[in-house]
Structures are given as C-alpha cells and as structure tokens.
Amino acid sequence: MSKSLAASHSQGKHEPDNIFGVNAAANEKAKIVGKENIVNASIGAFLDPQGELITLPTVEKTMYSLDFKDAANYAPIAGLPDFIKAAIDVTFGEHKPDAYINGVATPGGSGGIHHAIWNYTEVGDTFLTSDWFWSPYQTMAKEMGRKIDTFTSFSEKGNFNVRACLGKVAELAKVQKNVLLIINSPAHNPTGFSLTDEEWEQVIAGLKELIEKGQNNIILFVDIAYLDFAPPGSRKFFKLFSQLPASFLVIVAFSMSKGYTMYGYRTGCMIGISSDKDIIDEFFNINQYSNRGTWSNGTRSGMQCLVKLWKNPELMDQVNKEREEFRLSLENRARTFLDEAKEVGLEVCPYHSGFFITVPTSKPDEIGLKLQDDNIFIVPLGRGLRIAVCAIPAEKLSGMATKIKEAKDLLGG
Amino acid sequence: MSKSLAASHSQGKHEPDNIFGVNAAANEKAKIVGKENIVNASIGAFLDPQGELITLPTVEKTMYSLDFKDAANYAPIAGLPDFIKAAIDVTFGEHKPDAYINGVATPGGSGGIHHAIWNYTEVGDTFLTSDWFWSPYQTMAKEMGRKIDTFTSFSEKGNFNVRACLGKVAELAKVQKNVLLIINSPAHNPTGFSLTDEEWEQVIAGLKELIEKGQNNIILFVDIAYLDFAPPGSRKFFKLFSQLPASFLVIVAFSMSKGYTMYGYRTGCMIGISSDKDIIDEFFNINQYSNRGTWSNGTRSGMQCLVKLWKNPELMDQVNKEREEFRLSLENRARTFLDEAKEVGLEVCPYHSGFFITVPTSKPDEIGLKLQDDNIFIVPLGRGLRIAVCAIPAEKLSGMATKIKEAKDLLGG
C-alpha cells in the first residue's frame, strides 16, 4: 500500500477526469486521421462546426467593457447585491414565485449544490435524485460523507416517474428528517428530459402531502443549468413554488455557464424560495457563511457582467436573440440524431431539449471503445452513452445513430 | 426561537461581513463630510490616493487580450497544466525546493486552506496557527467542524515565538496524529510580520525532531498571500522545504489576488511539496477530487493570464516592475505610520512588510467607534485594530498614529 497522510475520510479519493480523457483520445486520433474526420461527442460545451467554443458576442463585448478596476476587485462574500437581484430576475422572468426569495452567489451551479448538501443534510444522510443523473452529484456525496439514492427516472410511457420519485421520498422520510431531492429540469443532463408543468404539479402536491404529516422538512433543489436552452414557456413551473409550507424550502441554482456561455468564469447564484421569512434569512446567513468558510468570495467580473446586461434591456435582448439562434441550431442537431435513431431502431432516453442525448446500454465502455474505431468519441456513463449534440455539427451527426446501433448489435447490451 | 431547516451542524451560522460594514459606515460619513476628509482604513486592497483600486496595467492588458473563446471555456478540474507549472515557477523562483512538487488550482488562497483543513485533519480535530491570525481561519474551522488553537505569535523581543509554536505543536501531537500548522509569512495579515530564514530553520528543525519520534504527520501550510509585497530575498526560505521526511508535507498557497491585483478573479494554486512521490500523488488526487466535489473547476481566464505572462518573460518583467513601484509606495506609507507611532509612543505589533499594521488593544470596538468621530474607519479585531496601510495614501496616514494614541489614552486598553 502506498503511503498516505490524508485524513481517514479523504484516503483513496481519486477520480480521473473522464471527459477530458475521452477528449484527449479524440485529439490524439485527430492527429492521425485529421480533425475533420473525428466526431468528438465528449465536450459538454456548445461548439460550432469548426469545433470552436460558441460564445455570445454581446456577452464577450460586455465582459471586456468592464472597468478593470471594478472587475478585479473583491465582491462581497454573499455576492454583489445587484447581481443577486439580477439573477433572481432573469431566472424567474414573469413567473416569480409568490414567496420570500433571496440568493447567495456561488461558483457556477456546482457551488450551490455543494452548499445545499452541506447545510441541509446531516453527515451520513442520504439525498435523492433520478437514476439518470450528472455524476458529480455522486462525487459531492462522497466528498461530504453523504450517500446518494435514486429513483427510476422514467415511466414506461417515457414520462417523468412521479410515483417512483414520491415513493423514494416517502421511504427516506421515514428514517431522515430532512429530505433533499435534486431535480435537474428542464433539459436534464445527461438525457435532455424535462418535467411537464403537470408533472411538477404532481411532484409538489405529493411533497406537500408528506409535509402535512408534520415529521419532515423537504428541500427541493432544482438544477436549471440548461434552462436557457429549453423552449420558450419553460419557466412557468416556477410559479408553483408560491406559498409552500414553511417546512418546504426550494432552492433554484442559477448558472451563467451555459446560458451566457461563461463556463470558465464560475458565476452562479443559489436562490432560496420560502413562504417563511426566518427560513430565507437562515438560507442567506448559512450559505453566506459557507461561502466564507469554503472559497471566500466569487468572480466579480462575471457578476458585473450580468448586472450590466440586466440594467440595459437592449443589451439583454441582444443576448437573448443571440442565444435563441444557437438554441434553434441545437434543436436541429438533436432532431438529426433522433430521426435517424428512430429510423434504425436505436433506443434513446426521452429527450426534450438541452445539450445531451443518452443511449442506454449495459455495455457503455465496450461500445464506447468500439466506436473509437469509427472515429466517434463518446463519454461512457454507468449505463449509457452520453452524446453531446452541443459539440457536434448536424452534418457530422448524420450517420452516427446508425453506427451506434451497429456497435450495439455487434456487442450486445 | 426562529424556525430552522438547517442540518444540526449548520444551525445558527451567521457572520456579518465586518469589513464591508466598516466600509459602508465610512462611505455614509463621506457623504456628509466629503470623501477627502475620510480615512478609510478598512479595505484589504491596494488603493491609490484617490481611493481607487490599484491594478497592474500589464495584468489588465493581458487579461483583456485573452481570446474570449478560450477564457470562457471550462478549465480542467485540477487546473490548466501550464497554469500549475507557472504557479510553481513564480512562487519559488530560484529557490525551488528539492522535492516532488505538484499543484491543484483553487479559488484564491482561501480554497487551498479549505482543502488542507478538510483533507488533512479529521472531523473534530484541532489545527494550529499564531494568535494573531486572519479571522476566516476561524470561520473555516467552524464551517468544517474543526477547532483552532493558537500559540503566542511574538517573543518579548518581537521575534517569531519559535518556542511557543513548537510547544503547541508538541502538545497537539500527543492527542492527534495529523498536526496541521498554518503559518502566514512573509507579510502576515494582520500584523505585517515575517519569519526570518533562521526562524524558519528553527521551526523546521523542531518539526523534524517531532516527526522522528514516528508518531505523527506534520502538514505545514504556508499562506503566502502577500509574498510579492515582501522585500526581495523573501523566497529563500522555500529551499528549506527540500528533502523533508515523508511524514512532513508542506503546502504553499499561491494566490494571484494581491501580487497580480486580481482579487476578484479567484485564481490561486495549492502547491504540495514532499520527498515522497506517493504523498504528492495523493495530494494531487484528493485535492482534485475535492475541487470536483466542492466548486468543480476554477476561473480559466485568471489561469490563462498567468500562463501568458509566464510564457513571455518581457511581459512578466513588466508586471514585476509595475508591482515593485507599488511595493515601494507601500513601504513608504508604512514608514510614515510607524515613525509617528514611535514618536508618540503608540505600541504596534512587529511589522516587516505587507498590507496591514496592527495596534494591539483590549478595547478594539470602543476605540474603533471613537475614531469614527475623527473620520477614521478601522476594522476592529478581537484584540487589536487593523490599519490597512494599503488603502491609505501617505498624506492621510500622517497624524493617524497620534489620533489612535489619544483615543487609546482616553478609553484605556
């Protein structure tokens, strides 16, 4: 055994950077066969047909127009007050819940997930999410000494499995006071699934029913990292978070990473929603405290960029227009892949919108490797292959479903 | 009692943003008496005589010359490999320890302190630092369920109290396997103290002696946030970290906040130094894991800025020249205050260099408030007043020591 100085809970922690690994393999192969012949479906960012990152021109202009003396300064620990206001505003739009609402700036959405797990579950507790989920939830669970449990994501008809979700919640509520439930919708990573407004209504009704028994607190964490790439109308469900019981806290994680193409600026805001002022004051205080005790303050330039856009509706309109163009091209890419998948009989998880489509399989690693022979590079998940349609232009997507189907048929699974 | 949904360890966490509070009071008063009549010694950043943030022109130019498509992208979880190389290089200069060395990018220095506490002490453990210390160490201790214990910073002669330091280490080593010792030097916050090379030698010799008994691991965390504002020659002590025993890990926290005036970009790197390859591989793996499980990745633009400067020695020379000018003006400011303090008999903590000078007193809050009548705004610490000479031009500093002495004499303490 190799020598270790780590504390007992930290020994053996190791997670090779999977996505960067597949990406590196794609780049190696590109040197041999030429970049134009490679389909690199590993990157979780929106790329143009040349494989360059797509950024919103107005965001770039705004970022680089910030007075450096302002951008370079420290932000307050909880974030710039105007940033918090702006984040709340652009998140909810016209569908702001009727409730006490406040926010705390975090590095992207990740920081908010961290704080929610840390501050609203006990050490050793379990939290819940759907069985298709963004794998860092698992990393965070282990990092903080928590456990993750999942429910079946989809019903047989390919809808959100409300019954399975509420069933798991009820089960956990028997052994744990605080039940933290993470739902990543709309445009779920990795499947592209979104709950309908009716499904949200059912979930919330079920959670309220549980709370009325008086034994539990519910913390519903809504990961909306891909919200801005879901179709218009995708914000209506926020209104359902109005006037919930005091023991029912909703946290919505706003992030500028995808919607403003500011991935590397680490700018987000966890937004708390409650009918009870005490709960929201506590939300602000304990998460501000966790900021100070974890990473101190956040990226001021990212915050100022949002503030500047928010204070100038013309600029914000421009950002929204620029983004809409990309959203439509993303829709087009997804349709290309999905139509072909249907044609050749390749099963995919229910997809509505977003950066990724998932092909379920029991042999993700084998099939992923096999596809590399065809110059297709895909990130294998625990039980599927994640196709980053965000990263592949439509012309390279055509033929891909067929090749995946062939590899699946060849290897089984 | 107000309602709470927080986990038991998170209930009641609250820390008003003290510095921003004093700053707000200064700004309020400025509206009445005019900004030019206010001495605002609260801000922990380097300001020019007009009260504007001083930034390094070459850093600004470099930041805003980055291709936005690159700046906006995600960095790898552990940080860009070239950034880690550059951080190691600029930290050690010609005094790189003879050892295995690797780094993990963190948001400023704070992120590295967080990971060191989290990964190298057990829950409930105590870690050590000097009794004058940067108060967020305490916040981090509470946040992570650790305790902080301190040793007397200074000997009667005003030197670093090596005996008190090693005494506390020996005491803690009896009850705890891993002893994490945080030393903030050179240009300590809040006192401006620096260990001499001889004091470093004594500390390291004492720690090695303890380790030779075979019962403990030592993790020495060196917080060098203000290194670049210490006089030339302040890097020599790094060489003392060569070829230490395998149970002795040194972590040095590089930060771009002060040295590159990039406070709000949250760019730093925790650098591990060990004679044992296993220990450094573990250091990289567990801290990369903690990145993923806490805030995911870091600010790519900040990392790319350092890489660009590092790859272009002319640019880096320019940065160093620009900084040196500010360092000398800081020296001048400190001298103005210290000379007057000596003249009027005002006691100050031993100061060598850096952003802050501390006046010890048993009545910091009362004296701080009294000074606000004189339009002087200072952050009260637990047992002293922190004078941010970085934030006050020399002409406003003159007379200040006298007024503090008067307030102290009037109120006692």
Side-chain angles (χ1 to χ4, degrees):
Chain A
M1 218 190 83
S2 58
K3 194 161 166 55
S4 166
L5 294 191
S8 55
H9 58 278
S10 294
Q11 281 173 15
K13 285 195 301 190
H14 182 36
E15 187 180 82
D17 202 328
N18 218 341
I19 295 178
F20 284 93
V22 174
N23 187 35
N27 291 337
E28 276 309 303
K29 189 78 177 272
K31 286 181 195 161
I32 303 167
V33 302
K35 201 179 166 187
E36 65 285 3
N37 296 311
I38 293 288
V39 182
N40 185 350
S42 69
I43 306 293
F46 205 173
L47 306 185
D48 68 16
Q50 286 71 48
E52 295 278 312
L53 188 74
I54 290 179
T55 52
L56 302 180
T58 302
V59 169
E60 171 172 0
K61 221 167 44 191
T62 306
M63 278 300 286
Y64 282 179
S65 75
L66 295 176
D67 178 5
F68 189 67
K69 284 187 190 306
D70 184 22
N73 212 338
Y74 282 126
I77 301 299
L80 290 164
D82 269 353
F83 167 72
I84 297 170
K85 276 186 215 157
I88 291 171
D89 223 38
V90 300
T91 296
F92 299 128
E94 294 175 358
H95 308 282
K96 191 173 168 181
D98 174 20
Y100 291 99
I101 297 177
N102 205 350
V104 171
T106 55
S110 299
I113 305 168
H114 173 271
H115 283 2
I117 296 170
W118 181 252
N119 284 324
Y120 291 101
T121 67
E122 304 287 333
V123 176
D125 267 7
T126 293
F127 63 88
L128 301 176
T129 194
S130 51
D131 62 353
W132 288 106
F133 66 89
W134 188 52
S135 66
Y137 293 167
Q138 176 72 70
T139 313
M140 290 191 187
K142 184 171 171 187
E143 174 69 11
M144 290 181 268
R146 270 67 165 178
K147 292 185 282 288
I148 195 167
D149 197 4
T150 61
F151 54 87
T152 306
S153 303
F154 306 120
S155 70
E156 281 184 16
K157 287 183 181 164
N159 300 317
F160 182 70
N161 201 327
V162 177
R163 182 197 292 252
C165 172
L166 293 175
K168 263 293 179 204
V169 168
E171 213 177 275
L172 187 60
K174 282 183 197 149
V175 295
Q176 229 176 263
K177 186 170 175 65
N178 277 16
V179 176
L180 169 63
L181 168 65
I182 304 182
I183 293 184
N184 175 205
S185 178
H188 174 263
N189 175 1
T191 67
F193 185 82
S194 304
L195 273 74
T196 63
D197 291 347
E198 293 67 38
E199 285 161 352
W200 270 119
E201 272 173 39
Q202 291 165 25
V203 169
I204 290 164
L207 296 174
K208 276 168 81 171
E209 211 172 288
L210 180 78
I211 276 187
E212 274 155 23
K213 294 183 187 159
Q215 303 300 311
N216 293 96
N217 299 319
I218 299 283
I219 295 90
L220 171 63
F221 188 98
V222 191
D223 184 345
I224 55 160
Y226 298 89
L227 170 67
D228 284 325
F229 289 91
S234 297
R235 283 173 163 79
K236 273 190 212 152
F237 75 102
F238 287 132
K239 204 73 187 178
L240 300 171
F241 301 148
S242 301
Q243 295 302 341
L244 297 174
S247 305
F248 190 156
L249 171 67
V250 181
I251 303 173
V252 174
F254 166 75
S255 166
M256 298 191 78
S257 297
K258 288 88 182 178
Y260 295 77
T261 62
M262 278 167 56
Y263 311 88
Y265 284 96
R266 317 307 303 129
T267 307
C269 187
M270 63 191 299
I271 301 172
I273 306 163
S274 170
S275 61
D276 191 299
K277 186 166 183 306
D278 282 352
I279 297 301
I280 286 303
D281 289 346
E282 176 183 73
F283 169 83
F284 183 81
N285 289 337
I286 66 178
N287 290 303
Q288 172 179 247
Y289 195 99
S290 290
N291 271 5
R292 182 46 122 177
T294 310
W295 52 70
S296 201
N297 47 80
T299 314
R300 187 175 175 112
S301 57
M303 297 187 213
Q304 285 291 37
C305 180
L306 186 71
V307 170
K308 210 161 169 181
L309 295 171
W310 175 67
K311 288 191 169 171
N312 186 334
E314 263 177 57
L315 278 184
M316 190 61 101
D317 275 358
Q318 241 171 286
V319 167
N320 289 333
K321 270 181 206 144
E322 289 164 5
R323 188 198 300 116
E324 184 62 6
E325 202 178 302
F326 293 128
R327 192 185 70 75
L328 293 173
S329 96
L330 187 62
E331 259 188 26
N332 179 44
R333 292 181 189 186
R335 209 174 308 121
T336 303
F337 183 88
L338 292 170
D339 286 353
E340 184 181 318
K342 202 168 175 186
E343 223 177 271
V344 301
L346 175 70
E347 189 196 350
V348 298
C349 290
Y351 174 93
H352 295 117
S353 55
F355 280 28
F356 308 104
I357 293 173
T358 293
V359 174
T361 163
S362 56
K363 295 187 174 170
D365 293 312
E366 294 88 330
I367 296 173
L369 266 182
K370 174 81 189 81
L371 286 165
Q372 295 194 4
D373 294 343
D374 290 332
N375 299 330
I376 296 173
F377 292 80
I378 299 182
V379 176
L381 308 173
R383 45 198 201 96
L385 296 164
R386 189 182 83 161
I387 323 291
V389 286
C390 56
I392 320 167
E395 57 274 25
K396 277 193 179 178
L397 275 163
S398 130
M400 201 170 155
T402 308
K403 281 191 178 142
I404 296 174
K405 179 73 166 81
E406 286 167 3
K408 262 190 88 175
D409 287 348
L410 184 71
L411 296 165
Chain B
M1 217 191 84
S2 58
K3 192 159 167 58
S4 165
L5 294 191
S8 55
H9 59 275
S10 293
Q11 282 173 16
K13 284 194 304 190
H14 182 37
E15 188 180 81
D17 201 328
N18 218 341
I19 295 178
F20 284 93
V22 173
N23 187 36
N27 291 337
E28 276 310 302
K29 190 77 177 273
K31 286 181 195 162
I32 303 167
V33 303
K35 199 179 167 187
E36 65 284 3
N37 296 311
I38 293 287
V39 182
N40 185 349
S42 69
I43 304 294
F46 204 173
L47 306 185
D48 68 17
Q50 286 72 47
E52 295 277 312
L53 188 75
I54 291 179
T55 52
L56 303 180
T58 302
V59 170
E60 172 173 359
K61 220 167 45 191
T62 307
M63 277 301 284
Y64 282 180
S65 75
L66 295 176
D67 178 6
F68 189 66
K69 286 188 188 304
D70 185 22
N73 212 339
Y74 282 126
I77 301 300
L80 289 164
D82 269 354
F83 168 73
I84 297 169
K85 276 185 215 158
I88 292 170
D89 222 39
V90 300
T91 295
F92 299 128
E94 292 174 1
H95 308 282
K96 189 172 167 182
D98 174 19
Y100 291 99
I101 297 177
N102 205 350
V104 172
T106 55
S110 299
I113 305 168
H114 173 272
H115 282 2
I117 296 170
W118 181 253
N119 284 325
Y120 290 101
T121 67
E122 303 287 332
V123 177
D125 267 7
T126 294
F127 63 87
L128 300 176
T129 193
S130 51
D131 62 354
W132 289 106
F133 66 90
W134 188 53
S135 67
Y137 292 168
Q138 177 73 68
T139 313
M140 289 192 190
K142 184 171 170 187
E143 173 69 9
M144 289 180 268
R146 270 67 165 179
K147 292 186 284 287
I148 193 167
D149 197 4
T150 62
F151 54 86
T152 307
S153 304
F154 307 121
S155 70
E156 281 183 14
K157 288 181 178 164
N159 299 317
F160 182 72
N161 202 327
V162 176
R163 182 197 294 252
C165 171
L166 293 175
K168 263 292 180 205
V169 168
E171 213 178 275
L172 186 59
K174 281 183 198 148
V175 295
Q176 229 176 264
K177 185 169 175 68
N178 276 17
V179 177
L180 168 63
L181 168 65
I182 303 182
I183 293 184
N184 174 204
S185 179
H188 174 262
N189 175 1
T191 68
F193 184 83
S194 304
L195 274 74
T196 63
D197 291 346
E198 294 67 37
E199 284 160 353
W200 270 118
E201 271 173 39
Q202 290 164 27
V203 169
I204 290 164
L207 296 174
K208 275 168 79 169
E209 212 172 288
L210 180 78
I211 275 187
E212 273 155 24
K213 293 182 188 160
Q215 303 300 310
N216 294 95
N217 300 320
I218 299 282
I219 294 91
L220 171 63
F221 189 98
V222 191
D223 184 346
I224 56 159
Y226 299 89
L227 170 66
D228 284 324
F229 290 91
S234 297
R235 282 173 162 80
K236 271 189 213 152
F237 76 101
F238 288 131
K239 204 71 188 177
L240 300 171
F241 302 147
S242 300
Q243 294 303 340
L244 297 173
S247 306
F248 191 156
L249 171 67
V250 181
I251 303 172
V252 174
F254 166 76
S255 165
M256 297 190 80
S257 297
K258 288 87 182 177
Y260 295 78
T261 63
M262 279 168 54
Y263 311 88
Y265 284 96
R266 317 307 302 129
T267 307
C269 187
M270 64 193 297
I271 301 172
I273 306 163
S274 170
S275 61
D276 190 300
K277 187 167 183 304
D278 282 352
I279 298 301
I280 286 302
D281 289 345
E282 176 183 72
F283 170 83
F284 183 81
N285 289 337
I286 67 178
N287 290 302
Q288 172 179 247
Y289 195 98
S290 290
N291 272 5
R292 181 45 122 177
T294 309
W295 52 70
S296 199
N297 47 79
T299 315
R300 187 176 175 114
S301 56
M303 296 187 213
Q304 285 291 35
C305 180
L306 185 71
V307 170
K308 209 161 167 179
L309 295 171
W310 175 68
K311 287 191 169 171
N312 186 333
E314 264 177 54
L315 279 183
M316 190 60 101
D317 274 358
Q318 240 171 288
V319 167
N320 289 333
K321 271 182 204 144
E322 289 163 5
R323 187 197 301 114
E324 184 61 8
E325 202 179 302
F326 294 128
R327 192 184 70 76
L328 293 172
S329 97
L330 187 63
E331 259 188 26
N332 181 44
R333 293 181 188 186
R335 209 176 305 119
T336 303
F337 184 89
L338 292 171
D339 287 351
E340 184 182 319
K342 202 169 176 184
E343 224 176 271
V344 301
L346 175 70
E347 189 196 349
V348 298
C349 289
Y351 174 91
H352 296 116
S353 56
F355 280 28
F356 309 105
I357 293 172
T358 292
V359 174
T361 164
S362 57
K363 294 186 174 171
D365 293 312
E366 294 89 329
I367 296 173
L369 265 181
K370 174 82 189 82
L371 287 165
Q372 295 194 5
D373 295 342
D374 290 331
N375 299 330
I376 295 173
F377 292 80
I378 299 182
V379 176
L381 307 173
R383 45 197 201 97
L385 296 163
R386 189 183 83 160
I387 324 290
V389 287
C390 56
I392 321 167
E395 56 274 23
K396 279 192 179 178
L397 275 163
S398 134
M400 201 169 155
T402 308
K403 283 192 176 141
I404 296 174
K405 180 72 165 79
E406 285 167 6
K408 262 191 89 177
D409 287 348
L410 184 73
L411 294 166

